Amino acid sequence: MQGEEERVADHFPQERISRRIVRDETLLVLGLSLGASGVSALISFVGSVTKPGGLKDQAATLNASAAPGRPWLDLAWQLFGIASALVPVALVAHFLLREGRGGLRTLGFDRTRPWPDLGRGAAVAAAIGSTGIAFYLAVRGLGFNLTVVPEALPEVWWKYPVLILSALQNAILEEVIVVGYLLRRLGQLGWTPTAALVGSSVLRGSYHLYQGVGGFIGNMVMGVVFVYLYRRWGRVGPLVVAHSLLDIGAFVGYALLAGKVDWLPTA
């Protein structure tokens, strides 16, 4: 019998799972992770545009203290936040293992090709990094973006390790779910390659909307590039490397340069 319960056994050799279950699984994963972040970012953006004053006069802080004046408690909250944010990735790995296809290895997130992944990721980060900074400065100057504050952590010994871990967490969560997992599931649900690319890219832009219109557009374009590269290379690994390097550069670079150079906006 065809329809909502049409079987997709070709994709699930060990189980007969309906399209409805695949759809619901995908919605649940997104609802627990970046889909929910997209809704939160939209609400935040509405709040920003309806607040008196321009967007560039408002700030979006990414890594802030969770317990000011209490560094050990703050560290505990930072590590908890990083670890809990990766739970959806573990859930995705579980769902992929259910297919009998190697878990995250199915998406090319493993240690089988470390040097090609590192080399490609570094090249992508170098190409996108300077362009991204220029785009952010331009759209903020035009009043379409909030002032992004990549970090506002206290000057404690764990500051830079936490910033690096936060960057790694962002990269793993986003590239595994928004590129590898989502494209796989959308393909299984019958989406065309173009529709899947648009869906993945718009989702990436949506959860950056709290930064303003520039954050949405810039990350949506980045999403298109990353989907293209994923399809070309068949691996999430280089994208995780690229994203990690971009965020490390933003977080650590801001911590080192804020207030010391004229071209970097601060809150």
Side-chain angles (χ1 to χ4, degrees):
M1 185 175 179
Q2 302 294 315
E4 187 66 20
E5 295 299 321
E6 180 182 350
R7 303 298 176 179
V8 287
D10 288 343
H11 297 296
F12 297 93
Q14 294 185 347
E15 298 185 30
R16 291 172 61 80
I17 300 179
S18 69
R19 290 185 184 276
R20 180 176 181 178
I21 291 176
V22 174
R23 181 200 66 191
D24 291 350
E25 172 201 298
T26 305
L27 291 175
L28 286 170
V29 168
L30 294 179
L32 290 170
S33 58
L34 296 167
S37 296
V39 176
S40 174
L42 175 60
I43 296 171
S44 178
F45 177 69
V46 172
S48 296
V49 296
T50 55
K51 184 178 180 179
L55 287 180
K56 69 179 181 179
D57 297 322
Q58 302 176 48
T61 304
L62 307 188
N63 294 282
S65 175
R70 305 183 68 183
W72 286 105
L73 182 63
D74 200 348
L75 175 60
W77 277 119
Q78 298 294 337
L79 295 178
F80 170 77
I82 291 169
S84 60
L86 290 173
V87 171
V89 176
L91 184 62
V92 164
H94 167 75
F95 286 139
L96 293 175
L97 280 171
R98 184 189 59 188
E99 298 181 30
R101 295 176 182 262
L104 295 180
R105 290 197 300 272
T106 306
L107 310 179
F109 186 52
D110 53 34
R111 294 177 293 176
T112 59
R113 303 185 63 189
W115 296 115
D117 286 352
L118 287 170
R120 287 171 170 174
V124 172
I128 291 178
S130 57
T131 304
I133 293 173
F135 179 76
Y136 161 68
L137 294 175
V139 295
R140 179 187 175 277
L142 293 172
F144 295 135
N145 222 69
L146 284 75
T147 298
V148 177
V149 180
E151 72 85 23
L153 295 176
E155 294 297 331
V156 289
W157 66 267
W158 49 259
K159 174 176 180 173
Y160 292 102
V162 162
L163 289 176
I164 292 171
L165 288 175
S166 178
L168 293 172
Q169 173 253 298
N170 289 342
I172 293 170
L173 176 67
E174 294 185 36
E175 304 317 325
V176 167
I177 291 181
V178 179
V179 179
Y181 173 75
L182 185 60
L183 290 179
R184 181 175 181 80
R185 287 296 185 253
L186 293 181
Q188 290 170 338
L189 290 170
W191 287 44
T192 66
T194 299
L197 180 149
V198 172
S200 173
S201 302
V202 170
L203 174 60
R204 186 188 295 268
S206 73
Y207 56 78
H208 288 95
L209 190 57
Y210 69 92
Q211 299 177 9
V213 178
F216 173 78
I217 294 175
N219 281 279
M220 189 169 63
V221 172
M222 177 176 160
V224 172
V225 173
F226 274 28
V227 169
Y228 170 78
L229 293 176
Y230 175 70
R231 288 174 172 168
R232 181 180 179 87
W233 295 331
R235 293 185 59 78
V236 162
L239 307 183
V240 171
V241 172
H243 195 148
S244 297
L245 292 175
L246 288 170
D247 278 9
I248 290 171
F251 298 167
V252 175
Y254 184 89
L256 295 174
L257 297 177
K260 300 177 182 178
V261 293
D262 295 334
W263 56 267
L264 182 62
T266 58

